Amino acid sequence: MYITCLDLEGVLVPEIWIAFAEASGIPELKRTTRDEPDYEKLMNWRLGILKEHHLGLKQIQETIVRIDPIPGAKEFLDELRSITQVIIISDTFTQFASPLMEKLGWPTIFCNSLEVAEDGEITGFKMRIADAKLATVKALQSIGYETIASGDSYNDLGMIKASKAGFLFKSTDKIKSDNPQLPAYETYGELMTAIKTAMAQ
């Protein structure tokens, strides 16, 4: 039995922090897990910038509701869910994800949570588990599933490499060149074909 595990941002929807960087006019916030492998370091840095600019959850959510899935993402996900179980495993937060999950047809997502003060300031974050993507894939394997995984960033490499089949999708040139053994695709059609081929083996 197969479960396909997908990253969210950069794979199915645009990067939330890049969209917010553009909306807020703070270019430093464009830094993502494509640039920084240490997610906790990245998030603490982001929270420092938000505090400096007196920005909170409300302002980020106002940006998120205007984000649409990458063209073709919902159709890809609908087709994929018709042939296999799918879980989105993301380092994003429940307070960010809901509007995006609605636009994608409410797929299952495992993610994290923010700590938010009464005035809306984001004071911290709670990771569901350390190295959640890899840990989730290993847990699924421990209960009898074969996993197929795809993502675009450094924090996806663990689950991609640990799965029976793993693919980079819309990744950076550096990540692709650093991991030449991983097939890399740019279109949903290519990724769908690769997943179906893996399931048939």
Side-chain angles (χ1 to χ4, degrees):
M1 296 179 67
Y2 283 97
I3 288 185
T4 299
C5 300
L6 299 175
D7 180 34
L8 176 65
E9 294 177 67
V11 173
L12 298 171
V13 303
E15 293 279 354
I16 291 169
W17 287 97
I18 290 178
F20 185 62
E22 292 170 351
S24 64
I26 305 172
E28 301 96 307
L29 288 174
K30 289 186 177 181
R31 188 169 178 80
T32 72
T33 50
R34 289 172 164 224
D35 312 299
E36 172 54 66
D38 187 330
Y39 188 76
E40 293 207 21
K41 178 181 175 182
L42 177 64
M43 270 306 300
N44 284 318
W45 180 77
R46 287 167 170 167
L47 295 188
I49 292 175
L50 293 179
K51 188 175 183 66
E52 178 186 339
H53 290 271
H54 307 290
L55 295 168
L57 179 60
K58 178 176 180 289
Q59 289 81 8
I60 300 175
Q61 288 177 328
E62 287 170 351
T63 295
I64 292 171
V65 297
R66 297 194 295 270
I67 295 175
D68 288 321
I70 296 169
K74 185 177 186 301
E75 294 77 9
F76 164 77
L77 199 54
D78 287 346
E79 181 181 351
L80 188 60
R81 291 165 73 192
S82 75
I83 61 172
T84 183
Q85 298 295 311
V86 179
I87 299 174
I88 297 171
I89 309 175
S90 175
D91 279 338
T92 194
F93 305 95
T94 54
Q95 294 92 333
F96 290 177
S98 289
L100 301 170
M101 294 304 98
E102 182 177 6
K103 292 178 181 180
L104 287 170
W106 296 110
T108 298
I109 183 169
F110 293 171
C111 58
N112 305 301
S113 60
L114 293 169
E115 296 168 351
V116 184
E118 287 186 11
D119 64 358
E121 179 186 354
I122 302 173
T123 57
F125 55 96
K126 184 173 178 54
M127 305 300 283
R128 182 170 53 84
I129 189 173
D131 204 356
K133 297 185 181 191
L134 176 58
T136 301
V137 159
K138 286 185 172 179
L140 291 168
Q141 292 167 349
S142 77
I143 56 172
Y145 286 98
E146 295 275 15
T147 60
I148 298 170
S150 185
D152 68 325
S153 296
Y154 285 106
N155 62 343
D156 299 311
L157 293 174
M159 72 171 181
I160 290 172
K161 291 176 180 178
S163 292
K164 179 175 181 181
F167 314 107
L168 292 171
F169 186 68
K170 296 183 182 292
S171 192
T172 66
D173 289 341
K174 174 149 184 31
I175 292 174
K176 287 187 283 190
S177 65
D178 287 348
N179 298 275
Q181 78 281 17
L182 297 178
Y185 302 111
E186 296 297 323
T187 71
Y188 291 117
E190 291 171 332
L191 183 58
M192 181 64 74
T193 298
I195 292 171
K196 287 180 176 178
T197 300
M199 290 178 62
Q201 292 176 347

